[in-house]
Amino acid sequence: MLMPPFHLHHPSTIEEACELAAGFLETKESFDWVAGGTDLLPNYKWHINVKQHVISLARVQGIDTISMHEIGAMARLGSIASSRDVHPLIAQAAGKVASSLIRNNATLGGNICLDTRCFWFNQSEDWRRSIDWCHKEDCGTGSDCRVIPNQNTLCVATYQGDVAPSLMVLEGLLHIIGPKGERQIPVDEFFQLDGITRNVLEEGEFILKVTFPEGVENRVGSYKKLRVRESWDFPEAGVAASWIEGDLSSLRIASTALESIPRLHQQEIDKLDGGFSTDKILQLSYAMMKSIKPVNNTALPPRYRKSMVKVLAKRCLQEILGDGE
Amino acid sequence: MAGGYRQQPGASSGGTRKDGKRVAGKQKFPPPGSGGSHPNMGPRDLDSIPESVGGKEPQPAGSHIHDRYRTGTEVGKPRALVDSYAKVTGQAWYGDDVRLQNEIIGKILRSPYHYAKIKSIDTSKVEALPGVLAVATGADAPNTFGVLPVTKDEHAMAVEKVRHVGDLVACVAAVDEATAMEALNLFEIEWEVLDPVFDPRKGLEDQDEPIHWRGKYHVGTTNVQKRVFQEFGDRSLVVDPTASSHGKWRMEGVHHGFTEPHAVVAHWDPNGRLQLYTPQQVPHYAHRALSTVLEVPMHQINVIRTFVGGGFGGKSDPFPHEMCAAILSRKAGRPVRITFSREEVYWINRGRHPSYIEVKMTADDEARISGFDIDALIDGGGFASFGHVTSYYNGVLATAPYELGSFHYTGARVWTNKPASGAMRGHGAVNTRCAVEVGLDEMAEQMQVDPIDLRLANLLPPHSRTISGFRITSNGMRQALERVREGSDWDKKFRQLPLGKGIGIGCGFFISGSGLPIHWDPNRFPHATVHIQIDMDGGVTVHTGAADIGQGSTTAVAQVVSEVLALPIEMIHVRSHESDTSPVDLGSYSSRVTFMNANAAIRAALDIREKLLNAAWEMLGYHPDVLVLNDRRIYYKHDPAVGVSYLEALHKAQEDKGSLISSGAYRSPPMGGVHKGAAAGLAPAYSFSAYIAEVDVDVETGLVSCTNVWAAHDCGKALNPLAVEGQIIGSCHMGLGQVLSEKMVYGRTGHLQNPNLLEYKIPSVHEMPHVTPIIIESSDPEGPFGAKEAGEGPLLPILPAVVNAVYDAIGVRIRTLPLSMDVVWKAISSKTRSLGGIEATELPSPRLEHSLLQQTLAERGAQHRERDRRRQRSEDTSAYVNGVLFGFDPDRPLEDQVEGWKSAVEPVPEQLAELGLAGKAWLKKEQRQMGGDK
Ligand SMILES: Cc1cc2nc3c(=O)[nH]c(=O)nc-3n(C[C@H](O)[C@H](O)[C@H](O)COP(=O)(O)OP(=O)(O)OC[C@H]3O[C@@H](n4cnc5c(N)ncnc54)[C@H](O)[C@@H]3O)c2cc1C
Ligand code: SF4
């Protein structure tokens, strides 16, 4: 399938990138950021939401650091997965993304900003024409959502990024830059409920890096991913958890690939009577499952994915805490 | 080398003595050499020459008529496929690699509707777009075609109506792909949308607008394309069974998932002949269909088969896009190339039919299988394709390897508004086989016997006849079962593994070539023809129409010619790409190629061999009976120094004639019954296989991983063990896909939701178990050097082996394929609920305590083992037909011995009420019976 034409730009500094973006905002020309391209370009090939301009971050200097307390947006997942400097949980999660070939190109920034997915949407143009399009790329028709029809406001496409929940449970902080300057936001506040909006990035903004607090190295974590094929499938459900050994109150747990955003489950922990303790693993897992409402737009049915949250959470918690006996 | 031979290879110390004299037997062949890379004759490889003709190759299954043509050169040796060099160096030219001068690009406009009438098409805007060079619609090619002459229901592009999303509506050729794509948006079409049918069960009902109309043969006004009824045997045997199994299956459609998408290049040469390049499994049918659709005689079309990047049945229909390319090219006067996207590959489909299968079976008090009752409703999608045959295969290919008291089959194939199903590796046999083998497992459990012993005591012997009249010749089923049982340590594992770990058995039975060439009478024309031509250089050019689709047919042909003529394989050049030069061949389907084509090649090679031996006779004075062919040399049996080189003999044989030419053909012997449909499933030989699979089941998530497979397949004789093992391992992979993860998902709106390789879940290398391939050689009397098929049969047993292993692991029988994690989890959940809400980790594992019947079976199995050995080696040549196990006399018609022994192909009115799902198709009358007709 032929890729539609677009202009590709290659800034080599952060400032240059911001200027380019500011320019397009002013002239009202549409554009996308591209990092590794492993998510954006497959969609372009399907003629999905193609923009006039694409700004590549690949040559921007200095945003591919890899260390315990800071990972640049342009760090490749393959390098992260094999690095001994990053937190082992991040390495583990990055190593479970897609396949080794894709990880060589895929970046952390692209993974965080991964577009939401839906089997009514991630299809060729001919295919989407046959369902008369859908809300997320309606081609000017005002089409409805095919998953939950008759609402025409919300897209419930699924966020299937693997790394975000691990960033959340390690208290990651995103550093964002744009024409209006730099700002920071915790990863667990970055995502925004809607498959089209996806996150809080404003037009022209991009992610520079993720940083982690002092002491993150004391956290022990685990990420459990449910997928059909080990080799390259997107997660159908994923749960990450971490704690500082010996301190139950430090427990953080998050899920992904179940709804249009990944989620930190602080509420479910807080609601436990008397806080979390190791005999409440099943209770917490069950509460997480209850709080999640997947829809039918990925490979496996939503009821099944929902039930698996319980299993994944339990396994995650048992792994890091011992089995709670 | 033993001392007896004087003409020795290697000639290490040179061929001259110190005194300058030449050493007899260590001489180089005279210039221009005798071909091959080595100057001297190699040793005779006695290990690859059968015992029966003085060699050392053991023949437990007895001798073979081709033994005396064995030269120890190639047969039985692991050999990298001869075309693999082109493939690994990237030089193989697949469909989309063909680049002709001045080519333009064709694109197809596809239907956005499931089912609709085309009221008008306006192409004027398309034609006006700069860069567009040709436009075509259904009106340009109104003639119908189809792979089977009885069901020609396809057009190059829709005429009157479209039948599924993605059906071809029109096509356009332009200077480049971007222009062609832009042009697709400019067609103006008026549609009248019709009510689609997706559920095959609905297809059995009368409709206002059936998807196709078969005139006076149309079944009511339903969408039934084909219905089958077959009944054999004594139905009274099934009353009061000792064990019975009744399973209702739902099997999703699966796709071949070949690597290369369809691609075609069409070019009308300066003489006005069509040159069509296409990766076809069956170029000859495409040739015929092109001729019909384009209204051009066949001799004005040259079909050039490119390298084929996988077919598995998915490239064996003549395709509408092949017609489109030819039509566009004719209009534009330039070569046109069309390459599919993956979505288009799924839309043209021809994969395995989504099926509803119901199997009832019974066993009597001696654990004999008293009846199979099979009902198969298969979803054909929008076109007939191979469906007529599939409808039969779903039943008749279950009539072996077991001896049955009775057999009852009802099948129906219906059209629905989905991409057309067709032939896929294991054509028609796979789904029912799975259902049957799982039923046997269940009956074994009821009778408290080992399922392997149940099978071993109910096998048809070699040289016997199935209940439906198929002639079984060689039969290695028993050895296959014994070998996998031993290899897997079955007796220590079955029903003894902890929860979540399981082991299971499954068998397979498949045709080795279809007995009926679809387009002609096998009594008048051969199935396959091969030509050989040798010129003065000594290279052997073999012309065959056999389509190498990666399975290695070219290598097989080269190997057998090499074997007969005792020439190194690099001297054999197979030419098989063009219909201009290839003798007509039916192509690569029904696992016919090695059996039929290699047989034809042997015959052609024998003709050449005779000419060479006669020449040598003239030169040496020894009769061919005492001459030996070995590595580019012909010599006197008792004194190898007395001989001539191959080239000398060749040149002698060429005197007065020029190049040597021969032709060989293969015909199948007359066989089979006379009932309607008797030809379906008829084959000159059958392959047999038994697999044991081990699985791990995660009881909390339902994820099934297959960890180990012991895979025994009886291919008669492995001409190339490497290729056979490759087929076995590849079949495991493909079958595992169907049983564990692959399915064509049709969502609630009837759209195919996963037409891409990310969402259509083909197992990757991570999901592959360790496979131990075990080759069984039963030496088929009519196969080339004893060989039978190894391309499709090996796929069958993996499905039931895995399903049975999952039962062994978790004690839940699941009859929905694929056993994807959600399906298994659901089954486990309802089981734990039925057990009072226990945790999945507390499920009881099934265990086995043998009943008295186990002893009966073991004894009968042992007797049959001896019976089979004698029959295999022709020490016992008495007649054997299905029914002997039940005490009938094989020499008298069964109808005369048993009241109620039946052979029926239509239900009697009393049966109508009790027919299964597909059987309901028989409730309707055909139009002609209702006085209707169009
Ligand atoms: C076959 C296949 C399997 C896959 N499997 C998985 C999987 O299992 N798990 C998984 O998580 N992902 C998977 N992916 C998706 C993807 O490969 C990864 O998520 C990858 O990390 C994306 O990174 P990228 O650099 O290639 O992103 P790109 O494609 O370059 O970008 C993705 C999106 O993020 C935006 N973006 C990129 N960088 C930035 C930035 N610094 N700031 C702001 N926006 C930015 C882009 O504009 C774009 O919208 C798969 C993809 C494929 C093709
Ligand atoms: S969730 Fe609805 S709007 Fe979003 S991509 Fe899917 S069908 Fe379209």
Side-chain angles (χ1 to χ4, degrees), chain A residues 32-42 57 73 77 96-98 102 105-107 109-111 113-115 160-163 198 201 205-208 225 227 232-235, chain B residues 758:
Chain A
D32 270 326
W33 299 108
V34 70
T38 62
D39 178 46
L40 190 79
L41 297 187
L57 298 173
L77 296 183
K96 286 183 177 172
V97 172
I102 293 175
N105 237 23
T107 65
N111 192 275
C113 299
L114 187 69
D115 200 356
Q160 287 180 287
D162 268 310
V163 187
R198 287 151 53 196
L201 283 182
E205 281 188 327
F206 66 97
I207 296 178
L208 277 178
K225 170 174 182 176
R227 55 175 154 178
W232 67 325
D233 276 333
F234 278 95
Chain B
L758 182 59

Side-chain angles (χ1 to χ4, degrees), chain A residues 1-2 46-47 117 119-120 122-127 129-131 146-149 160 226-234 236 298-301 303-304 307-308 311-312 314-315, chain B residues 108 110-113 165 177-178 181 185 341 343 347 698 700-703 741 748-749 751-764 766-767 820-822 825-826 833:
Chain A
M1 189 52 68
L2 204 61
W46 273 329
H47 295 217
R117 302 178 57 81
F119 59 51
W120 298 101
N122 296 97
Q123 300 281 5
S124 68
E125 199 170 17
D126 275 357
W127 196 98
R129 183 181 290 114
S130 78
I131 61 154
R146 303 292 157 195
V147 178
I148 308 180
Q160 287 180 287
L226 183 81
R227 55 175 154 178
V228 180
R229 294 168 298 182
E230 280 292 306
S231 46
W232 67 325
D233 276 333
F234 278 95
E236 291 288 324
T298 67
L300 297 173
R303 202 170 88 84
Y304 172 72
S307 303
M308 286 308 108
V311 178
L312 299 181
K314 181 184 81 178
R315 289 184 178 179
Chain B
I108 290 164
R110 295 180 176 277
S111 167
Y113 297 110
V165 167
E177 191 174 353
M181 284 171 64
N185 293 324
S341 65
E343 287 79 4
W347 276 334
D698 182 332
E700 287 184 316
T701 64
L703 177 69
S741 56
R748 85 184 128 74
T749 54
H751 289 87
L752 178 60
Q753 299 284 15
N754 57 343
N756 58 69
L757 292 177
L758 182 59
E759 296 306 329
Y760 181 82
K761 309 282 185 188
I762 298 176
S764 69
H766 279 271
E767 283 73 45
S820 51
M821 47 222 284
D822 54 310
W825 173 79
K826 208 168 145 191
R833 241 178 288 127

Side-chain angles (χ1 to χ4, degrees), chain B residues 241-580:
Chain B
T242 300
S244 65
S245 156
H246 182 178
K248 289 186 176 178
W249 289 79
R250 171 91 183 91
M251 282 127 162
E252 301 289 349
V254 287
H255 187 265
H256 323 79
F258 37 73
T259 314
E260 180 202 21
H262 303 269
V264 58
V265 176
H267 168 50
W268 296 80
D269 72 15
N271 294 339
R273 289 186 79 219
L274 173 63
Q275 310 284 337
L276 189 104
Y277 300 77
T278 180
Q280 259 285 355
Q281 292 184 242
V282 189
H284 183 65
Y285 294 174
H287 199 172
R288 283 176 180 250
L290 283 163
S291 166
T292 309
V293 172
L294 302 171
E295 298 183 346
V296 167
M298 279 174 74
H299 55 75
Q300 291 305 301
I301 301 172
N302 183 22
V303 177
I304 302 153
R305 177 185 59 81
T306 64
F307 275 76
V308 183
F312 309 108
K315 290 175 184 160
S316 45
D317 292 56
F319 283 113
H321 60 269
E322 293 167 334
M323 321 291 159
C324 289
I327 294 165
L328 289 171
S329 171
R330 180 150 67 180
K331 287 191 172 198
R334 287 169 67 170
V336 171
R337 176 161 58 93
I338 298 179
T339 302
F340 275 13
S341 65
R342 188 56 62 173
E343 287 79 4
E344 292 181 288
V345 171
Y346 279 97
W347 276 334
I348 204 84
N349 190 21
R350 320 289 151 147
R352 201 176 316 293
H353 291 65
S355 310
Y356 288 91
I357 290 180
E358 190 174 349
V359 173
K360 294 182 207 159
M361 62 173 73
T362 50
D364 67 10
D365 52 1
E366 289 175 49
R368 295 177 299 195
I369 304 167
S370 46
F372 273 0
D373 184 339
I374 299 168
D375 180 84
L377 174 64
I378 60 174
D379 182 347
F383 297 97
S385 184
F386 278 94
H388 187 88
V389 179
T390 326
S391 310
Y392 279 107
Y393 280 4
N394 263 283
V396 298
L397 293 183
T399 57
Y402 311 112
E403 195 159 348
L404 305 174
S406 64
F407 175 80
H408 180 94
Y409 171 59
T410 43
R413 183 182 192 266
V414 295
W415 286 297
T416 57
N417 295 105
K418 295 192 266 196
S421 308
M424 176 170 161
R425 200 178 197 179
H427 186 190
V430 174
N431 291 350
T432 341
R433 173 58 53 191
C434 180
V436 161
E437 296 290 323
V438 171
L440 287 175
D441 206 61
E442 188 170 53
M443 291 213 300
E445 182 167 47
Q446 284 172 21
M447 293 187 282
Q448 292 174 271
V449 297
D450 187 292
I452 294 187
D453 289 306
L454 176 65
R455 287 170 170 85
L456 286 171
N458 282 292
L459 295 179
L460 281 163
H463 303 288
S464 59
R465 203 167 281 278
T466 68
I467 197 164
S468 56
F470 298 157
R471 182 196 67 155
I472 304 287
T473 51
S474 59
N475 178 348
M477 190 71 243
R478 185 173 302 280
Q479 292 97 301
L481 277 163
E482 289 171 352
R483 293 280 302 277
V484 291
R485 175 182 222 160
E486 191 191 312
S488 65
D489 223 357
W490 170 269
D491 293 331
K492 294 217 180 79
K493 294 177 181 163
F494 181 67
R495 296 291 189 257
Q496 295 156 55
L497 299 173
L499 178 69
K501 297 217 175 278
I503 188 166
I505 176 87
C507 292
F509 163 79
F510 202 68
I511 54 173
S512 188
S514 159
L516 193 72
I518 296 174
H519 280 273
W520 57 76
D521 175 358
N523 298 318
R524 292 184 56 214
F525 296 101
H527 280 267
T529 311
V530 168
H531 297 166
I532 296 182
Q533 178 194 333
I534 312 182
D535 221 315
M536 295 184 74
D537 62 7
V540 180
T541 306
V542 184
H543 292 283
T544 166
D548 201 311
I549 55 173
Q551 89 279 42
S553 64
T554 299
T555 309
V557 167
Q559 279 189 298
V560 298
V561 172
S562 155
E563 177 77 14
V564 171
L565 299 180
L567 297 174
I569 200 160
E570 63 263 24
M571 291 179 68
I572 318 292
H573 317 302
V574 179
R575 288 287 171 273
S576 64
H577 286 290
E578 293 190 35
S579 65
D580 271 2

Side-chain angles (χ1 to χ4, degrees), chain B residues 56-103:
Chain B
K56 294 187 194 157
E57 184 183 285
Q59 292 182 291
S63 61
H64 190 273
I65 47 160
H66 289 156
D67 286 348
R68 57 206 175 94
Y69 312 126
R70 292 283 298 278
T71 58
T73 311
E74 271 295 328
V75 163
K77 301 191 177 178
R79 155 76 58 192
L81 301 187
V82 293
D83 52 1
S84 48
Y85 304 95
K87 290 181 178 172
V88 299
T89 55
Q91 294 179 56
W93 44 288
Y94 295 94
D96 187 60
D97 290 323
V98 177
R99 290 287 185 282
L100 302 183
Q101 287 274 322
N102 260 336
E103 71 160 18

